[in-house]
Amino acid sequence: VKFSTIDNGTRDGMLVLVNNDLTRMIRCHGTHGTLREAIEEWDSFLSNVAHLDPDGVASEPFVTEHALAPLPRAWQWLDASAFGCHGELLQKAYDLPPVPSSPPLMYQGMSHQFLAGHHRSRFPSEEHGIDFEAELGVIIGDVPLGCDPDDAMGQIKLIVLINDWSLRTLGAAEMRTGFGWVRAKPACSMAPIAVTPDELGSAWKNGRIHLPVMVDYNGVRFGAACGSAMDYGFHELVAHAAATRELCAGTVIG
Amino acid sequence: VKFSTIDNGTRDGMLVLVNNDLTRMIRCHGTHGTLREAIEEWDSFLSNVAHLDPDGVASEPFVTEHALAPLPRAWQWLDASAFGCHGELLQKAYDLPPVPSSPPLMYQGMSHQFLAGHHRSRFPSEEHGIDFEAELGVIIGDVPLGCDPDDAMGQIKLIVLINDWSLRTLGAAEMRTGFGWVRAKPACSMAPIAVTPDELGSAWKNGRIHLPVMVDYNGVRFGAACGSAMDYGFHELVAHAAATRELCAGTVIG
């Protein structure tokens, strides 16, 4: 199933089901009119919307430009550095000594705002070293304290694409304090469509997405990140985060 | 005005006004039945509840043990190290070189769960080095990108007391990665009462609380933190955080 969130003037937007070719949609009404609410009772929500046909007579045109981030605000955003090659780039960008990659590197980022993919992102100054970063993310259900990777797998409800903006000039100084990033990490952007893992078929395997993420920069191919090359699967990242805390439904793991 | 949030089985609880001696309360009904919602339209909410009398005939007994954290979950929790003496303790606890105190040190902590003051806090192991920390916090309204300290002062809506739990053994390793704390920072606890700044009278001055925070440990006085000794006022901490991001209503700054 494919979902999107349409701008209706509210902070959480309006949740819709989208058809396969991303041209039609149908509204998810009622108490689960937002992904923020639906994710808290995801399995019953999914069965409640199973009869909705985004290609049927009750459907409407889907216009990407009307979409917000699928989850315009989330309670928690935990972003991992789960690719060995990313760790090497990070060292180079920040002029750091080698950082051990086990346990997985993870920080708590701002989650109260995920921008739409086509929103203008506002930055105070180019001198802050504006950088972009393609990321895969999952949106999870409630995960108990101490959850193991196998159980965590079952709590992976949706897959999203994220652009993680960074301000590298500010980031180097913040890293040195050991407190992690605040000023260096403004709001991320999230692509308009969130999909259930089964939409990926056999490409969803071992908690990894065995597909490339194509990255264009001003219309020119910039890179293609290989989802299968993650050092940790998403289920392992979820379990890592849950080692000392419960994770609530609607947590986004990058 | 004094507020508390009563456990009614929901994730956000039920917002109530509390009387001066913390013995009686009255419910804040309707669309602003939770602090999460009320804080988004705080000034109009305050005028709407001005007629409610927590000592009047419609009031009920206030029982501290029924209270959750005033804000049981928040969109954002930014915790600063705003006392010079705290920086020195941190260095000692983590065996670190001196950390510069300007700009203010601040990290993004988990905000999807603030425990009630009297809740049991669950930790996986004593070997993680469980530590507690008294903190003052403010809950703010919407703050635009680039807000200056003077304007930020007007967005300080409520003052709360927080116990910031840390797992020091895990914390030292996480600090060295530069990514900040995830495993080392489980859910904080929040004392049951949130007050508007005017409740503190002349003790609320320069964005600081000129009162001691008395800390008892198993019934014995452990310390008394001096709120006026902050190197930065709360308005300056809010402005620091807003340098590269909008802050949403309901953000908690410690």
Side-chain angles (χ1 to χ4, degrees), chain A residues 11 36 40 73 75-76 107-108 110 112-113 124 142 178-180 182-183 185 240 243-246, chain B residues 11 36 40 73 75-76 107-108 110 112-113 124 142 178-180 182-183 185 240 243-246:
Chain A
R11 296 190 191 227
R36 175 176 69 73
E40 293 181 0
R73 55 179 178 173
W75 297 110
Q76 184 165 240
Y107 70 91
Q108 179 123 20
M110 71 167 270
H112 70 276
Q113 192 179 43
D142 287 304
F179 277 53
V182 174
R183 287 184 161 188
K185 287 287 188 181
H240 172 79
T244 60
R245 62 174 68 178
E246 297 169 13
Chain B
R11 296 189 191 227
R36 175 176 70 74
E40 293 181 0
R73 53 179 181 175
W75 296 110
Q76 184 165 240
Y107 70 92
Q108 179 123 19
M110 70 168 269
H112 70 276
Q113 191 180 44
D142 286 305
F179 276 54
V182 173
R183 286 186 160 188
K185 287 287 187 182
H240 172 80
T244 61
R245 62 175 67 178
E246 299 168 11

Side-chain angles (χ1 to χ4, degrees), chain A residues 47-185:
Chain A
S47 60
N48 284 341
V49 298
H51 69 285
L52 293 177
D53 176 10
D55 280 307
V57 288
S59 72
E60 307 165 54
F62 174 71
V63 182
T64 307
E65 288 71 21
H66 296 172
L68 301 173
L71 200 56
R73 55 179 178 173
W75 297 110
Q76 184 165 240
W77 159 234
L78 296 171
D79 193 12
S81 174
F83 292 86
C85 56
H86 175 263
E88 288 160 28
L89 285 171
L90 199 71
Q91 278 171 237
K92 211 189 286 183
Y94 287 148
D95 193 19
L96 296 169
V99 179
S101 66
S102 172
L105 293 166
M106 184 178 275
Y107 70 91
Q108 179 123 20
M110 71 167 270
S111 61
H112 70 276
Q113 192 179 43
F114 282 95
L115 302 171
H118 58 276
H119 271 177
R120 281 169 189 259
S121 300
R122 292 176 61 210
F123 305 105
S125 169
E126 284 198 33
E127 288 174 14
H128 291 164
I130 303 163
D131 198 5
F132 62 97
E133 194 177 337
E135 294 203 9
L136 296 158
V138 297
I139 305 178
I140 62 174
D142 287 304
V143 168
L145 179 71
C147 186
D148 66 32
D150 284 350
D151 288 340
M153 191 74 93
Q155 291 305 316
I156 296 175
K157 306 301 187 188
L158 288 167
I159 295 169
V160 292
L161 286 169
I162 292 165
N163 177 7
D164 176 24
W165 294 107
S166 295
L167 303 175
R168 300 287 180 203
T169 313
L170 302 175
E174 288 190 330
M175 263 190 111
R176 278 193 294 273
T177 67
F179 277 53
W181 301 289
V182 174
R183 287 184 161 188
K185 287 287 188 181

